[in-house]
Amino acid sequence: MANSELKVIGGIVAGLAIGAVVGLLTAPDSGKKTRKKLDREAKKIGKDLNKTFSDTVENIKSSYQTALDEVVSKTMNASTADEDKDDKAVMAKMNQG
């Protein structure tokens, strides 16, 4: 995941958190109700952040595995091509001799 994507995700999460806090603090409720709302919202934001983080980690793992598989495949193909060239060179020398 690109650095800019992480910044966007961080900005969204920060915006949600700030919006929730401002909204709750300006609401005309008692202190006890406001604290409960803040607690509830904080837990919700925490769960959302945890999910976003988990999804990001999974995307990174998947991208890494895809890249690794591609490198292994290309390496194997190159190795096989080199072996084929070597075999052909040996056969050509044997046919000359």
Side-chain angles (χ1 to χ4, degrees):
M1 180 172 280
N3 192 24
S4 61
E5 291 175 7
L6 291 174
K7 287 181 182 179
V8 169
I9 291 171
I12 290 170
V13 170
L16 287 171
I18 292 169
V21 169
V22 169
L24 289 172
L25 291 176
T26 58
D29 286 331
S30 69
K32 187 174 183 177
K33 284 185 180 181
T34 301
R35 284 189 297 276
K36 283 184 182 181
K37 285 182 181 180
L38 282 172
D39 184 51
R40 221 178 8 250
E41 287 298 316
K43 287 178 182 175
K44 182 180 179 291
I45 290 169
K47 286 179 185 178
D48 291 345
L49 185 58
N50 189 27
K51 170 118 175 65
T52 300
F53 180 76
S54 296
D55 291 347
T56 302
V57 168
E58 287 304 315
N59 288 337
I60 291 170
K61 285 180 182 178
S62 177
S63 296
Y64 171 78
Q65 189 61 49
T66 299
L68 182 63
D69 291 345
E70 188 175 326
V71 168
V72 168
S73 175
K74 287 183 179 182
T75 303
M76 295 299 288
N77 289 340
S79 176
T80 302
D82 287 344
E83 289 174 7
D84 289 345
K85 286 180 187 176
D86 291 344
D87 290 346
K88 288 178 183 177
V90 169
M91 293 300 287
K93 285 184 181 182
M94 289 175 58
N95 288 334
Q96 289 176 355

